[in-house]
Structure formats: structure tokens, C-alpha cells
Amino acid sequence: MSIGILYEVALWVVQIGSSIQIRDQVLLLYESWHELFIIALFQKLKNPQNRRLLPEQTSIDASFEDQWYIFTAIIAKMKGLRLDSIELGRMKQICFLRADAPLSYHAGIHIETLQTQAQGILREHLIFDNLKFGKLLLTIGDLRGIKKKTIQRVFFGNSTQHFDALFGMTVTAVFRTQVCAR
């Protein structure tokens, strides 16, 4: 199921990133996949039948307990915010459009502009709920505190080489399919 979520994340990137060069989409996806994965997982967890997507606390390696605590706190915070599809979509966009990604100068400016637009749309959507808007932005900051390695190990196993190959094949398959469709 984790591979399916990763595939959906890559597909989402291709679908929303049409104004971004493919090279930059891949770089941004590489930088933010774990944050996007958590949001996509949260969307799946809204359905009570998908609770099995989360591993049992006892199966978490002791070296990841602190990260696991942060992860579960973020999921709980997102649940408490009662996020609708617009808020979750904008949250994904803000996570994906990282100004700190290693992009060219012009691409970086374009990404920053798109991120500002996404924040503006979210702000308009929450115009009468300043508290929720602030909490949502803080939650995005919390998501950035989760290490890629944690999500990788908990949901995809311990092998970095295995995950890198899986990630590469997933991204290649999604981008190849979507580019051919354009």
C-alpha cells in the first residue's frame, strides 16, 4: 500500500506541475516526497478501513521513536484541524513548492511565486479563520521536521538502495506515462 501512496504522490506532482520543467518537478518531488507521502497517507487514514496502513508502535525501531512520536503528533494535529480537500491540496502544494530546493535561479523565482500563490489561495479560503490558517502553516513546518529516512524505513523497509530503486522506478513510470499523454 505504501508503494501505491508513493505512486499517487508522483502522479499528483505531474498533474499539478505543468508550468514547471520536468527536471525541476523531479527535484522538487525528491526534496518533498516524504512530506507529500504523510499528507497522502493522512488522506487515506480519513477512511477508518485504512487504519492498517500505520505500523504498530511495537514494530518501530527504538532509534526512530522520537521521529515516530513527531509523526503521530502531526497526524493527530491534522486530524484535529479537520482539513477539507482544498486545505489538504494547498498544503501539498506548499510542501511541494520548496524555495530551498536546489533549482536554478529562474526556476527558484518561479517556484517561490507559485508557493506564494498557493499560500494566498489558502489564505482566501480561510479568510475568517486566522487561527486555522496559522496552525496549518505551523503543521507544514512540523512536516519538514520529519526525516526522509524515518518515512523510508517505517513504510518501505531498511534498505536505502531498495528504496532509491523503488523511488526511481516509480517516478520514471509516472513521468514517462504522463509525458507521453501530453
Side-chain angles (χ1 to χ4, degrees):
M1 191 59 128
S2 297
I3 295 168
I5 294 172
L6 187 63
Y7 183 87
E8 289 173 16
V9 165
L11 188 59
W12 177 84
V13 165
V14 170
Q15 292 171 346
I16 68 120
S18 61
S19 71
I20 304 168
Q21 290 183 8
I22 291 175
R23 176 190 167 278
D24 295 332
Q25 286 180 32
V26 172
L27 278 169
L28 289 166
L29 177 58
Y30 183 75
E31 291 293 320
S32 63
W33 74 264
H34 61 296
E35 298 157 5
L36 299 173
F37 181 89
I38 293 169
I39 297 169
L41 176 66
F42 173 76
Q43 286 178 294
K44 296 257 186 224
L45 291 173
K46 289 174 91 174
N47 179 346
Q49 294 176 338
N50 290 331
R51 294 283 181 228
R52 68 189 188 298
L53 294 173
L54 288 177
E56 295 294 322
Q57 173 71 33
T58 55
S59 67
I60 304 300
D61 186 330
S63 64
F64 288 102
E65 282 182 11
D66 290 346
Q67 285 283 300
W68 181 250
Y69 174 78
I70 294 168
F71 170 80
T72 56
I74 290 170
I75 294 293
K77 187 186 290 188
M78 290 170 70
K79 185 177 180 182
L81 287 171
R82 298 180 186 197
L83 302 167
D84 64 28
S85 60
I86 293 172
E87 294 157 356
L88 284 166
R90 295 303 171 203
M91 194 173 177
K92 279 200 254 184
Q93 282 182 312
I94 293 167
C95 287
F96 172 66
L97 299 167
R98 298 180 68 110
D100 62 341
L103 303 169
S104 69
Y105 175 74
H106 293 294
I109 290 173
H110 180 61
I111 297 306
E112 218 171 297
T113 301
L114 292 174
Q115 187 185 60
T116 301
Q117 289 172 353
Q119 287 177 3
I121 293 167
L122 180 61
R123 182 72 198 114
E124 284 179 31
H125 178 71
L126 294 171
I127 193 77
F128 298 111
D129 197 345
N130 291 329
L131 184 61
K132 188 173 186 179
F133 178 70
K135 285 182 177 182
L136 220 154
L137 292 179
L138 289 171
T139 302
I140 291 169
D142 292 343
L143 281 169
R144 294 206 169 144
I146 296 284
K147 296 176 183 172
K148 290 180 188 180
K149 189 180 233 179
T150 300
I151 301 303
Q152 176 186 326
R153 280 197 175 170
V154 169
F155 291 96
F156 297 96
N158 286 332
S159 172
T160 301
Q161 290 176 330
H162 171 74
F163 177 77
D164 289 344
L166 176 70
F167 183 80
M169 288 187 305
T170 302
V171 170
T172 301
V174 169
F175 277 82
R176 193 174 284 155
T177 303
Q178 293 301 312
V179 169
C180 291
R182 285 184 187 169

